[in-house]
Amino acid sequence: MTLYEFNLLSHEKQLASAFEDGSFLVTRRVGISYLCLYALETFYVEIRYSQDLNQITACRSFRSSIALEPYLEQIDLDFYPMSNNS
């Protein structure tokens, strides 16, 4: 699925796709909300969960490395070893 195809899905189908097809990477807290980051094929999905409302309040997809920056310190790159074919 491409980023464009993902963005055409309904909100509910976007969430289902992230949960079922995505790879969970990390959660970070922002105020009283939690942001969960998932990797799908060639893009990322960020899902916002509001603790005070006890529900998901937003879902956004992106490819931008700038949008990924707040997560980089929390992602353990050693967990994703690269193969050495040399």
Side-chain angles (χ1 to χ4, degrees):
M1 174 181 307
T2 67
L3 177 63
Y4 177 76
E5 292 168 333
F6 181 85
N7 288 335
L8 290 176
L9 297 174
S10 68
H11 178 73
E12 292 77 18
K13 288 185 180 182
Q14 286 179 347
L15 294 176
S17 179
F19 296 144
E20 294 169 12
D21 303 325
S23 297
F24 172 77
L25 297 177
V26 68
T27 297
R28 66 186 182 99
R29 188 172 183 157
V30 177
I32 58 173
S33 294
Y34 291 91
L35 299 175
C36 300
L37 183 67
Y38 292 82
L40 274 89
E41 297 184 29
T42 61
F43 60 94
Y44 299 95
V45 176
E46 180 182 74
I47 297 173
R48 179 180 292 265
Y49 169 78
S50 172
Q51 188 175 12
D52 64 334
L53 298 175
N54 192 29
Q55 67 182 15
I56 293 171
T57 57
C59 177
R60 76 173 178 134
S61 57
F62 61 90
R63 281 195 191 120
S64 166
S65 58
I66 293 171
L68 192 59
E69 281 183 19
Y71 294 98
L72 293 180
E73 288 186 14
Q74 296 178 55
I75 298 173
D76 183 6
L77 296 178
D78 292 333
F79 182 74
Y80 304 98
M82 299 186 67
S83 63
N84 185 356
N85 294 329
S86 38

